[in-house]
Amino acid sequence: MKFLVLLISITTWQAIANAESEWSFGADLQMSEQYFPEEYGENTNTSLFKIEIDPLAKWKKGEHWRFYLKPVLVANPDNKSSEEQVFIEPSEAYIKFQKDVLNISLGYHLVTWGVTDGYNPIDVVNRRQIYDPTRSKKLGSPSLMISESLSWFDYDFIYVPKSREAIMPGENSRWLPRDVFIPQVPENNLVLLLPPNLRYHWGINETLNNALDNNIALRLQKTISIFDISLTGFDGAGGYPIIEPQVTGTIVQVSPKTVIQVDPDVTLNRKQRRIRQGGFTLVSHQWDFLFKYATSYTDDYGDYVNLPGWLHENVLGIEKTFNFNDAMLIAILQYSFLDSEKQNDSNISLTEVFRRSWMAGGRLTWKEVWNASILGLYDTLNYSTFLEMTLGRRFFDAWSVNFTADFIAGSSENPLGVYSKNDSYLLSVSRSF
């Protein structure tokens, strides 16, 4: 099924292509080296060298037909997780028909709904590859997309016959817990102490409530005076599976939480869950500020005991652009607040990072060749932080060099601090063709 939509797209294109069609080609090439100063677990990487190639092919015929192909190819040969050494992803590959205000496309799509930065609760159509949660990649969704601008609103409809699953970190990844593992369980009362010679294994992968089948999404958009608003709905696979560790070991504490000193072999079982979500966004430009608000309500299908239950997410943001002689600065400030049916102390829940969190950042461009950015996140409940700083320079129009430093601080028992030993420095060189 993974390549079925792509095959249909190419076959359709071949049927309508002729000598009058127009082609264009390009590619992006990037080489990077990432260094982690601190060791974290046995048989994990302290450095990672990657080569990424993103070829691009575009074709058009007349006013109505378009074809777009931009796959992602990544080689990471020294990665100690064999699953992460090669990553080949269709990403975007679709055939599109457009006429007046109507667009119909079939193939692999990347969909970005929502208006907030960093944490976007509305952005649920695509699954992700999360070898590194701070640099996750969206996976193309095999889907039919219909978009149209009507007289009083715009709409986007998406049908995914078979959704993809999130691609999880490899068994030797630094991004799996290595000191303490607090899984999500109904009683919220389990702590696993991990041994130095820990060995992870991915185990059973089960799908609940036909989570991957027949996913649908709808967005309605309307501009009213100075307000851009949207309503969204989604019924389909949750962004990440439920992770259930299977362990043996010795109980060292029973109250107030059960604490287990586990044996080296830990099996991680997955449950793919189905969700339904309704969302609302609002954007308004006033007094030279851009105000943003996003809210969503998500619930699970079924009554499986480890389902997280309903979740209400809210994000408020403000953005301001400053222009100087040869420079431009875009600054953002954002606050997220969440409520949920169940308490969740798990230290592998990415959602819990944003339960009560501030995020601030800015991006500066100077003389169209220099760029610098900074992004900070503060979890006010667990007092943990994330800081990312980047400095980049463009050369000869097509070459770019970027240096990025990431710093994470917090207790290993919370969902951001669990990565506190993953501070890193990343140098990348890229070329566009």
Side-chain angles (χ1 to χ4, degrees):
M1 181 64 194
K2 181 177 180 180
F3 293 100
L4 177 60
V5 176
L6 178 59
L7 178 61
I8 293 173
S9 299
I10 295 175
T11 303
T12 305
W13 159 71
Q14 289 176 333
I16 62 175
N18 61 29
E20 298 177 358
S21 62
E22 299 179 21
W23 282 96
S24 61
F25 300 93
D28 293 324
L29 170 66
Q30 183 183 85
M31 294 182 292
S32 66
E33 180 78 25
Q34 186 174 16
Y35 171 64
F36 300 90
E38 191 169 358
E39 292 191 2
Y40 187 35
E42 288 190 356
N43 202 32
T44 59
N45 286 85
T46 55
S47 64
L48 290 170
F49 173 73
K50 294 182 183 179
I51 299 176
E52 178 174 337
I53 302 174
D54 303 336
L56 171 64
K58 294 190 290 185
W59 168 86
K60 68 176 182 178
K61 178 182 182 296
E63 298 179 356
H64 303 307
W65 290 98
R66 300 290 186 270
F67 176 73
Y68 188 88
L69 174 65
K70 191 175 183 181
V72 175
L73 314 172
V74 181
N76 190 359
D78 59 350
N79 197 307
K80 295 183 179 179
S81 291
S82 59
E83 310 96 316
E84 299 186 23
Q85 291 178 355
V86 176
F87 176 65
I88 301 176
E89 160 61 22
S91 191
E92 295 179 276
Y94 56 83
I95 186 80
K96 180 167 73 171
F97 174 79
Q98 58 187 41
K99 184 176 182 180
D100 299 327
V101 295
L102 175 67
N103 291 275
I104 302 174
S105 61
L106 178 67
Y108 281 84
H109 299 95
L110 296 181
V111 180
T112 301
W113 289 356
V115 296
T116 52
D117 301 286
Y119 181 54
N120 185 353
I122 310 295
D123 191 15
V124 295
V125 175
N126 296 94
R127 306 287 77 72
R128 289 180 177 271
Q129 175 254 73
I130 50 172
Y131 293 158
D132 178 346
T134 66
R135 294 180 175 84
S136 64
K137 290 180 177 290
K138 278 189 176 181
L139 303 176
S141 181
S143 52
L144 168 69
M145 290 186 59
I146 302 174
S147 301
E148 189 173 11
S149 296
L150 301 178
S151 58
W152 56 285
F153 73 93
D154 302 335
Y155 76 87
D156 303 283
F157 172 78
I158 302 172
Y159 171 65
V160 185
K162 191 72 173 183
S163 178
R164 303 176 65 185
E165 300 177 5
I167 300 179
M168 308 304 290
E171 294 177 350
N172 293 319
S173 173
R174 304 176 59 98
W175 297 98
L176 293 173
R178 297 281 164 181
D179 292 330
V180 178
F181 191 164
I182 304 176
Q184 182 174 351
V185 295
E187 296 81 12
N188 204 43
N189 64 348
L190 181 62
V191 177
L192 306 178
L193 303 180
L194 303 174
N197 56 341
L198 175 66
R199 295 184 295 270
Y200 278 116
H201 312 279
W202 286 107
I204 298 171
N205 185 15
E206 183 181 350
T207 301
L208 305 176
N209 301 295
N210 301 309
L212 305 179
D213 298 334
N214 300 316
N215 290 197
I216 56 174
L218 176 67
R219 178 175 66 169
L220 306 178
Q221 297 184 94
K222 175 72 174 176
T223 299
I224 303 175
S225 183
I226 59 173
F227 301 102
D228 296 324
I229 62 175
S230 75
L231 294 172
T232 62
F234 176 74
D235 187 310
Y240 303 105
I242 300 169
I243 304 298
E244 300 176 331
Q246 181 179 330
V247 303
T248 59
T250 303
I251 297 176
V252 297
Q253 179 181 305
V254 294
S255 181
K257 293 191 175 186
T258 300
V259 179
I260 301 175
Q261 179 65 60
V262 306
D263 296 330
D265 290 290
V266 175
T267 299
L268 302 177
N269 297 320
R270 286 164 287 175
K271 295 285 194 305
Q272 309 292 335
R273 63 190 182 103
R274 192 179 188 98
I275 64 170
R276 49 199 163 195
Q277 183 194 85
F280 171 80
T281 68
L282 182 147
V283 177
S284 180
H285 191 278
Q286 300 184 64
W287 311 298
D288 291 328
F289 287 90
L290 194 63
F291 297 92
K292 304 178 182 181
Y293 173 64
T295 183
S296 69
Y297 181 86
T298 307
D299 203 358
D300 296 299
Y301 280 90
D303 55 4
Y304 181 67
V305 66
N306 276 345
L307 290 173
W310 61 259
L311 174 66
H312 185 201
E313 301 167 89
N314 300 273
V315 185
L316 285 166
I318 184 171
E319 180 180 308
K320 171 71 173 175
T321 300
F322 301 89
N323 290 295
F324 309 99
N325 289 334
D326 296 314
M328 181 177 68
L329 171 66
I330 300 176
I332 61 170
L333 178 65
Q334 197 165 279
Y335 180 68
S336 60
F337 51 104
L338 285 60
D339 291 303
S340 58
E341 178 179 352
K342 300 178 181 179
Q343 183 178 352
N344 182 8
D345 290 339
S346 172
N347 67 344
I348 62 167
S349 171
L350 296 179
T351 302
E352 288 300 312
V353 173
F354 300 95
R355 183 169 286 273
R356 295 289 187 276
S357 294
W358 286 96
M359 188 184 78
R363 177 177 175 83
L364 175 70
T365 56
W366 181 53
K367 291 189 175 180
E368 298 184 351
V369 294
W370 285 96
N371 68 84
S373 64
I374 183 169
L375 175 66
L377 173 69
Y378 177 59
D379 177 355
T380 65
L381 296 181
N382 297 297
Y383 311 109
S384 53
T385 60
F386 171 75
L387 178 65
E388 179 180 271
M389 297 181 292
T390 299
L391 178 65
R393 176 70 159 86
R394 187 162 54 87
F395 298 92
F396 313 114
D397 293 329
W399 288 89
S400 295
V401 177
N402 288 277
F403 177 76
T404 301
D406 291 345
F407 305 99
I408 305 173
S411 167
S412 61
E413 296 184 6
N414 70 61
L416 187 56
V418 69
Y419 305 127
S420 61
K421 294 184 180 179
N422 282 348
D423 292 354
S424 69
Y425 303 93
L426 175 69
L427 178 65
S428 65
V429 179
S430 58
R431 171 73 159 91
S432 296
F433 298 90

